[in-house]
Amino acid sequence: MVTAITQGVKISVETSYEDEQSNPVNDHFMFAYRISIENLSDYSIQLKRRQWFIFDSCGAQREVEGEGVVGVQPIIQPGEEYSYVSGCHLTTEIGSMSGNYLMSRIADETEFTVDIPEFELVVPYRLN
């Protein structure tokens, strides 16, 4: 698990390789990641947008951005946590992801960026 705290928002990431959804013969490696967003601040926040930077071991990179996460723009109260699971496919056995969330303070609509720490996506047999 990797964790980062930016402006009172704690982001934790856990990853897993999805063997049954992968097809190594066709260079298709599927990974799942669980993101937990914990509001350590004193104000309510809303996740407005996401931006991902995805890299694989061949040097390919792509950027993904859009509104919210998994179809929602969650509001997270002080002391609360919001978690979701999503996925990413790579054409190599090793890669990484990092990014950021655009958040908004509910009280005054001030927007700020929260870092998503870089995490690795590695097929388990590559770890030996």
Side-chain angles (χ1 to χ4, degrees):
M1 178 185 304
V2 296
T3 301
I5 299 174
T6 308
Q7 296 195 45
V9 181
K10 180 179 177 182
I11 307 295
S12 301
V13 185
E14 294 178 85
T15 64
S16 62
Y17 175 63
E18 301 299 307
D19 188 49
E20 297 203 4
Q21 296 178 349
S22 298
N23 187 341
V25 173
N26 292 321
D27 296 327
H28 182 81
F29 302 92
M30 190 67 195
F31 297 88
Y33 55 88
R34 177 184 172 83
I35 306 278
S36 297
I37 305 165
E38 188 175 356
N39 185 356
L40 304 175
S41 74
D42 295 329
Y43 45 83
S44 300
I45 57 174
Q46 183 172 22
L47 192 158
K48 303 295 255 179
R49 298 188 63 78
R50 72 191 181 289
Q51 181 177 31
W52 286 108
F53 302 101
I54 305 166
F55 303 91
D56 71 26
S57 58
C58 287
Q61 64 182 45
R62 64 186 192 266
E63 182 178 343
V64 176
E65 62 179 319
E67 290 187 3
V69 291
V70 292
V72 296
Q73 293 179 314
I75 294 174
I76 309 167
Q77 303 299 329
E80 291 188 350
E81 183 176 305
Y82 176 82
S83 296
Y84 71 95
V85 175
S86 192
C88 174
H89 77 278
L90 298 177
T91 58
T92 63
E93 300 165 321
I94 300 171
S96 67
M97 292 177 65
S98 64
N100 59 70
Y101 295 124
L102 178 65
M103 300 284 196
S104 176
R105 291 185 187 117
I106 299 298
D108 61 8
E109 297 183 4
T110 299
E111 292 185 336
F112 61 100
T113 302
V114 172
D115 295 327
I116 304 167
E118 183 175 11
F119 55 93
E120 293 183 349
L121 304 168
V122 181
V123 175
Y125 61 78
R126 296 297 289 173
L127 296 172
N128 293 332

